[in-house]
Amino acid sequence: MPARRTEKTETEVPFEAAMEQLEGIVDRLESGELPLEEALASFERGVALSRQCAAQLESAERRIEVLVQSGSGLTTEPFEAPEEEGNGG
């Protein structure tokens, strides 16, 4: 049975575009000038984009492997991301 390929949903956008949209939403929400209904809709869209980006990053991390030369030949090791530093802000 062939491997099942995950199809993008209608609202899923490329990671970089999703991040740009999310940054724009945050800027608009932080301005405090949106009407309540628009702010809520923007917040909901931001949550969806945030979850999508997190899922895309998780998927990418699972795919990244580092080739390591060992005594018996090439092996793979899971990618270890550098430890995060606190965000300034």
Side-chain angles (χ1 to χ4, degrees):
M1 187 150 127
R4 183 177 162 191
R5 184 176 174 183
T6 304
E7 297 295 324
K8 286 186 177 183
T9 63
E10 193 173 301
T11 58
E12 190 171 326
V13 294
F15 180 81
E16 293 79 7
M19 286 299 297
E20 286 181 24
Q21 288 180 26
L22 188 54
E23 289 172 2
I25 289 170
V26 169
D27 289 343
R28 287 191 303 278
L29 288 172
E30 285 181 341
S31 76
E33 297 179 12
L34 292 177
L36 179 60
E37 288 302 316
E38 191 175 336
L40 287 172
S42 293
F43 181 78
E44 289 174 351
R45 177 68 178 146
V47 169
L49 287 168
S50 176
R51 289 179 178 160
Q52 175 191 322
C53 288
Q56 288 175 328
L57 285 173
E58 186 178 319
S59 175
E61 286 177 0
R62 284 193 306 262
R63 292 173 41 198
I64 296 173
E65 293 180 336
V66 179
L67 288 175
V68 178
Q69 182 69 39
S70 71
S72 62
L74 294 178
T75 60
T76 60
E77 287 183 0
F79 173 77
E80 291 186 29
E83 290 189 28
E84 292 183 23
E85 294 182 21
N87 291 336

